Amino acid sequence: DAKTTQPNSMESNEEEPVHLPCNHSTISGTDYIHWYRQLPSQGPEYVIHGLTSNVNNRMASLAIAEDRKSSTLILHRATLRDAAVYYCILVTGANNLFFGTGTRLTVIP
Amino acid sequence: DTEVTQTPKHLVMGMTNKKSLKCEQHMGHRAMYWYKQKAKKPPELMFVYSYEKLSINESVPSRFSPECPNSSLLNLHLHALQPEDSALYLCASSHRVAASYEQYFGPGTRLTVT
């Protein structure tokens, strides 16, 4: 299984941007980069995914390095509701999600 | 509607009981998944169904028996479980089994085995 490395935890002030990094140096050419988050006592929630180009949606932006060995999830204005564990996952053709330990984001009011 | 529903929300069962977990989606998705999540750990993939056929079994013990009776429903039958099987059981679905599709998760069933 392709591996990702994320910081265990990060903090952000409310209403400020948050940049969550992910390293995936062993990524293969067909691996998609998926981000999910899990709020306390809830199931995981899809955030965003991409292959090579940067992606934007209503929740976040995904910036993918040119060599694809790292990516950054960008929350443009953190709210208290964004406090969660964020998982960066490399997904192969079979769409099997193998979750790592993720980054626990704390949002400070 | 991007909702995956799971019933029951909570389940307590003894080691000799037989019970079932149910998962339902009406998004027309043809891929459905079961995950297990122990406390303070990330989810772990158990089973993958594609077009109602089991395509992946991640070496799960036979006391867990999945079933996909139609494209909207996914069941997980439980029998002779152990206390260490206590966990949050999550169901998910996606359009197809392909890396370009996102997965939608249900809220999970919290299972306690006594």
Side-chain angles (χ1 to χ4, degrees):
Chain A
D1 306 329
K3 300 289 188 198
T4 62
T5 304
Q6 299 177 253
N8 287 335
S9 62
M10 290 184 65
E11 285 187 353
S12 172
N13 293 320
E14 196 176 9
E15 298 191 7
E16 290 190 357
V18 183
H19 291 232
L20 296 166
C22 181
N23 287 320
H24 29 79
S25 58
T26 59
I27 191 169
S28 73
T30 55
D31 288 339
Y32 278 76
I33 302 159
H34 284 234
W35 284 81
Y36 289 78
R37 71 181 185 181
Q38 189 169 21
L39 280 65
S41 302
Q42 295 188 26
E45 176 186 28
Y46 166 76
V47 177
I48 200 166
H49 75 283
L51 184 60
T52 56
S53 304
N54 295 344
V55 185
N56 300 298
N57 67 20
R58 64 174 179 82
M59 286 182 70
S61 295
L62 177 60
I64 301 173
E66 200 168 329
D67 64 4
R68 299 211 323 128
K69 294 188 177 189
S70 66
S71 60
T72 302
L73 178 70
I74 303 164
L75 307 179
H76 296 287
R77 285 180 73 236
T79 69
L80 295 178
R81 196 195 169 277
D82 292 320
V85 178
Y86 286 78
Y87 296 102
C88 168
I89 307 170
L90 296 186
V91 184
T92 63
N95 200 10
N96 297 334
L97 298 184
F98 293 102
F99 288 79
T101 52
T103 296
R104 182 173 298 278
L105 176 66
T106 300
V107 179
I108 302 166
Chain B
D1 180 13
T2 57
E3 191 178 21
V4 174
T5 58
Q6 290 188 245
T7 53
K9 283 193 167 65
H10 301 273
L11 178 63
V12 180
M13 61 184 290
M15 290 189 285
T16 58
N17 291 157
K18 285 185 181 181
K19 296 286 185 184
S20 297
L21 309 184
K22 180 180 169 182
C23 171
E24 197 163 3
Q25 57 87 14
H26 295 286
M27 295 178 276
H29 290 173
R30 302 311 296 270
M32 296 187 77
Y33 311 80
W34 280 115
Y35 292 83
K36 173 182 177 178
Q37 185 172 25
K38 301 279 281 183
K40 300 191 188 304
K41 297 288 188 185
E44 295 177 358
L45 182 67
M46 299 175 73
F47 302 104
V48 179
Y49 271 83
S50 177
Y51 288 87
E52 297 91 69
K53 286 188 175 16
L54 183 65
S55 64
I56 301 280
N57 175 342
E58 287 288 331
S59 303
V60 179
S62 60
R63 57 186 184 267
F64 295 92
S65 175
E67 178 198 20
C68 191
N70 60 56
S71 60
S72 300
L73 272 177
L74 186 66
N75 297 319
L76 186 62
H77 303 297
L78 314 172
H79 173 56
L81 294 193
Q82 305 296 310
E84 59 264 29
D85 296 321
S86 298
L88 181 68
Y89 288 85
L90 295 158
C91 173
S93 71
S94 65
H95 186 60
R96 298 290 187 272
V97 174
S100 55
Y101 295 112
E102 64 271 26
Q103 292 187 20
Y104 295 89
F105 284 80
T109 293
R110 189 160 299 281
L111 173 69
T112 303
V113 181
T114 61

